[in-house]
């Protein structure tokens, strides 16, 4: 997955819904996330940290920040 994202921009859509007894509110936000180009060594080093395996889902934005994300 990291190789596919490396050097590319993709969209992340975050959504939320709040439901109460009398009302429902929904919202979504689209964010463009640009990955720097990652070398095979950088990808291997990240995987070796065990971080990708200890979080619920290693989202692209977390990976991007660890890899020098430029927003």
């Amino acid at each position: 997955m990291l190789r596919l994202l490396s050097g590319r921009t993709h969209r992340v859509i975050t959504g939320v819904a709040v439901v109460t007894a009398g009302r429902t509110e929904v919202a979504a936000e689209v964010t463009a996330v640009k990955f720097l180009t990652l070398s095979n060594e950088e990808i291997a080093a990240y995987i070796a940290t065990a971080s990708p395996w200890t979080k619920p889902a290693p989202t692209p934005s977390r990976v991007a920040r660890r890899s020098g994300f430029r927003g």
Side-chain angles (χ1 to χ4, degrees), residues 3-32:
R3 281 187 185 91
L4 293 174
L5 295 170
S6 177
R8 301 182 72 178
T9 300
H10 66 281
R11 295 184 310 156
V12 174
I13 303 169
T14 303
V16 63
V18 177
V19 180
T20 63
R23 192 167 136 177
T24 300
E25 294 288 330
V26 297
E29 185 72 28
V30 179
T31 304

Side-chain angles (χ1 to χ4, degrees), residues 16-51:
V16 63
V18 177
V19 180
T20 63
R23 192 167 136 177
T24 300
E25 294 288 330
V26 297
E29 185 72 28
V30 179
T31 304
V33 176
K34 181 176 182 179
F35 270 66
L36 295 177
T37 301
L38 304 174
S39 69
N40 288 334
E41 292 78 17
E42 289 170 311
I43 292 171
Y46 174 69
I47 292 170
T49 68
S51 184

